[in-house]
Amino acid sequence: MVQENHSKVPIPTLGRLATYLRVLNELQMLEVSTVSSAEIEQQTGINAAQFRKDLSYFGEFGKPGVGYSVSELQQSIAKILKLDRRQAVLLVGAGNLGSALVGYQGMAEHRMELMGIFDSNPSKIGTMLGTLRVQSIHCLVEVNMKLNARIAILAVPAQVAQSVSEILVEAGVRAILNFAPIPLRLPENVAVRNVSFMQELAVLSYQAAEEVSQLSEFESF
Amino acid sequence: MVQENHSKVPIPTLGRLATYLRVLNELQMLEVSTVSSAEIEQQTGINAAQFRKDLSYFGEFGKPGVGYSVSELQQSIAKILKLDRRQAVLLVGAGNLGSALVGYQGMAEHRMELMGIFDSNPSKIGTMLGTLRVQSIHCLVEVNMKLNARIAILAVPAQVAQSVSEILVEAGVRAILNFAPIPLRLPENVAVRNVSFMQELAVLSYQAAEEVSQLSEFESF
């Protein structure tokens, strides 16, 4: 299972680039023309030195004393992340989570376009979600012959996540955002990013209690 | 900002414990009484040796040749993660994402109970989401004097995430699951876990394209 070895650029750097891009998009809408690393720090909470280091993986940006051209930096980062072109995205799972993702503005802002929604539940197939009709999972391979999406969002129950992910790979998908709380076993040329709410909440549950016990220890002195 | 330094137990171990717990809950419902580390590997995709190592942080579990008692291990892990008791959770943000989280089964399975939902949008305040009425963000501190929730889910736009998180801290919350795509600047005694769809999707966009360029290089030989 390949997740973090796709490139020499650290994954956290790529994640932060997405954050810079969001801020640059906003500045562009406000018709701001230049920005300093200090302003980036203020807007994102990410250290100015970290920002400069993240950019250094991809060449030279900005001018001393002037700062960064918002439009140039926006275009450069979009190009690095391949978000400078329209990309088709598939969604499997038309439940609560899937529906939330359909309404998620961030995707459109980054030119990711949800082009197909699939489910195995007969009561969902044929219904509309946003502007798309939910299709049967059995049509996915055929439908993606036309769409050619390489990115998919997997929002299905844990029990079926592995088998559905294999259908996605068969359909040509090479990057999966997995919301099911199990790791997927897929060929090495498929990138997977896992998001598990319950895992995150369990970690927080542990940490919130740690905090309590630290406080009580403190109070007992 | 403290995120990963709350304890000597590695965060990934805590996340995996949540996965084991989910599988153990399922086995218990199926009235299975013992389980081997090989079966855990089969069910979770997590290596049996990793499973044993994760448990070793917390003491001795299982018997050689017999395996693990499902109910004992379930109780032990729930206790480690403090998921053996009912915990109140707050949700701020009653948009698409917040609504999806209200319907999320995993929380109830782990005895996390959503006790309050808050929003600043007048068109949302007073409406029902699941069994709860959405309340004004301005009531949060007062409401949580009774609820005493220490865990909150933050599903609000980036622009207001920092200020809302400060209200949560004022209300006594010590662990936040942050879905806004910006880092929060909070006191050290507040644990934050960040989940950013767009960051994950941007990383996948980069990786999916990496794969294409690797393939084209290969094809040109």
Side-chain angles (χ1 to χ4, degrees), chain A residues 20 36-49 51, chain B residues 185:
Chain A
Y20 307 142
S36 67
S37 55
E39 285 163 331
I40 292 283
E41 174 169 343
Q42 211 175 9
Q43 296 264 333
T44 62
I46 301 165
N47 193 284
F51 167 69
Chain B
R185 280 162 283 193

Side-chain angles (χ1 to χ4, degrees), chain A residues 49-71:
Chain A
Q50 179 70 64
F51 167 69
R52 291 190 295 267
K53 193 183 170 204
D54 287 336
L55 293 185
S56 72
Y57 286 101
F58 308 98
E60 300 250 329
F61 299 92
K63 285 178 195 147
V66 180
Y68 301 83
S69 153
V70 169
S71 67

Side-chain angles (χ1 to χ4, degrees), chain A:
Chain A
M1 191 175 54
V2 171
Q3 287 186 39
E4 324 243 299
N5 267 335
H6 264 253
S7 143
K8 283 152 233 158
V9 180
I11 300 278
T13 290
L14 297 173
R16 285 190 295 267
L17 287 183
T19 299
Y20 307 142
L21 185 57
R22 184 184 53 73
V23 169
L24 291 165
N25 286 345
E26 279 169 17
L27 291 173
Q28 215 165 20
M29 286 205 290
L30 298 169
E31 299 185 3
V32 175
S33 60
T34 57
V35 66
S36 67
S37 55
E39 285 163 331
I40 292 283
E41 174 169 343
Q42 211 175 9
Q43 296 264 333
T44 62
I46 301 165
N47 193 284
Q50 179 70 64
F51 167 69
R52 291 190 295 267
K53 193 183 170 204
D54 287 336
L55 293 185
S56 72
Y57 286 101
F58 308 98
E60 300 250 329
F61 299 92
K63 285 178 195 147
V66 180
Y68 301 83
S69 153
V70 169
S71 67
E72 278 176 30
L73 193 56
Q74 191 274 345
Q75 282 167 36
S76 301
I77 294 181
K79 198 172 172 190
I80 291 166
L81 294 175
K82 322 295 171 196
L83 295 173
D84 57 338
R85 60 208 77 172
R86 202 184 58 76
Q87 288 194 90
V89 176
L90 306 182
L91 167 66
V92 188
N96 275 315
L97 177 61
S99 310
L101 293 166
V102 170
Y104 181 54
Q105 291 180 347
M107 275 173 62
E109 275 168 28
H110 290 300
R111 305 186 66 182
M112 288 192 159
E113 193 174 341
L114 199 56
M115 298 284 283
I117 305 176
F118 302 87
D119 205 295
S120 63
N121 185 338
S123 75
K124 296 213 171 107
I125 297 167
T127 62
M128 295 298 287
L129 210 53
T131 59
L132 291 173
R133 196 171 292 281
V134 179
Q135 299 177 80
S136 164
I137 182 78
H138 300 297
C139 305
L140 194 152
V141 173
E142 201 188 322
V143 170
N144 205 39
M145 283 182 188
K146 283 186 194 157
L147 297 178
N148 278 315
R150 299 179 58 81
I151 300 175
I153 299 170
L154 190 56
V156 300
Q159 296 83 340
V160 297
Q162 178 63 35
S163 62
V164 172
S165 71
E166 289 168 13
I167 297 174
L168 286 170
V169 172
E170 191 193 334
V173 166
R174 288 297 171 266
I176 298 176
L177 185 57
N178 173 35
F179 285 95
I182 62 155
L184 304 175
R185 281 161 283 191
L186 295 174
E188 289 217 344
N189 64 345
V190 181
V192 178
R193 303 285 299 162
N194 296 302
V195 178
S196 165
F197 300 150
M198 197 51 230
Q199 283 203 354
E200 299 295 338
L201 280 169
V203 171
L204 285 173
S205 165
Y206 179 90
Q207 291 178 326
E210 280 275 289
E211 204 41 55
V212 175
S213 63
Q214 277 171 29
L215 286 174
S216 4
E217 274 168 44
F218 183 77
E219 282 161 5
S220 70
F221 276 95

